[in-house]
Amino acid sequence: MNRRDLLLQEMGISQWELYRPEVLQGSVGISVAENIRFITVSDENISSSPLLADVLLSLNLKKENCLCLNYDQIQHMECKQPIRYWLLSENSDQIDRTLPFCKQAEQVYRSPSWQQFQSNHQAKRALWQQIQQP
């Protein structure tokens, strides 16, 4: 415990650790950096997944070139460069509502939700086939 923590404790001030700090990142006017070339849209946070790293490797991209958003955040995205999108959802209506927000889309890949995708070999094969198509 550091000095600041001890002082706060003596003053009777409770400290809290955010369970989901990404919620406070804001959702209005998300600017996409120039280096971003691939955006994943999923209800789950997949940014640290080894499977995502494999997908990026197959696209000749690095982790710095990828941005992971959820379906609420993509509505507020501002993008100027061509981007590939990967939409992960079982709900086809949700994907259809999201497509207009895929600005500057170079290509849009579709897969089932992340939970389904991880264990479904056919879904993985379908993604690889989408990636190989020009």
Side-chain angles (χ1 to χ4, degrees), residues 1-2 24 41 56 66 85 89 95 118 122 125 128 132:
M1 194 175 275
N2 63 30
L24 297 178
V41 184
L56 292 172
C66 178
Y85 292 87
S89 178
I95 288 179
Q118 291 182 85
Q122 293 170 340
R125 185 177 304 119
W128 303 136
Q132 291 176 353

Side-chain angles (χ1 to χ4, degrees), residues 18-129:
L18 294 175
Y19 179 70
R20 292 181 36 212
E22 67 274 3
V23 171
L24 297 178
Q25 289 179 344
S27 61
V28 178
I30 299 172
S31 294
V32 177
E34 296 275 331
N35 65 314
I36 301 297
R37 298 287 176 250
F38 187 65
I39 294 178
T40 65
V41 184
S42 174
D43 289 327
E44 294 94 12
N45 183 2
I46 65 172
S47 60
S48 60
S49 167
L51 184 53
L52 175 61
D54 290 343
V55 171
L56 292 172
L57 185 64
S58 70
L59 292 166
N60 294 323
L61 296 172
K62 297 178 182 175
K63 193 172 183 178
E64 306 84 56
N65 303 122
C66 178
L67 177 64
C68 296
L69 299 175
N70 62 39
Y71 281 94
D72 294 329
Q73 291 172 319
I74 195 164
Q75 299 174 24
H76 306 286
M77 185 186 69
E78 298 170 6
C79 176
K80 295 178 181 153
Q81 70 270 19
I83 299 231
R84 295 180 191 178
Y85 292 87
W86 184 21
L87 307 177
L88 293 114
S89 178
E90 300 267 329
N91 186 339
S92 60
D93 290 336
Q94 185 178 37
I95 288 179
D96 291 341
R97 284 190 311 267
T98 303
L99 286 173
F101 299 112
C102 296
K103 299 172 184 155
Q104 301 294 332
E106 186 178 314
Q107 211 160 4
V108 178
Y109 308 121
R110 299 177 187 196
S111 294
S113 69
W114 182 247
Q115 295 289 7
Q116 293 273 338
F117 181 79
Q118 291 182 85
S119 60
N120 187 332
H121 301 292
Q122 293 170 340
K124 290 176 187 175
R125 185 177 304 119
L127 175 65
W128 303 136
Q129 289 170 348

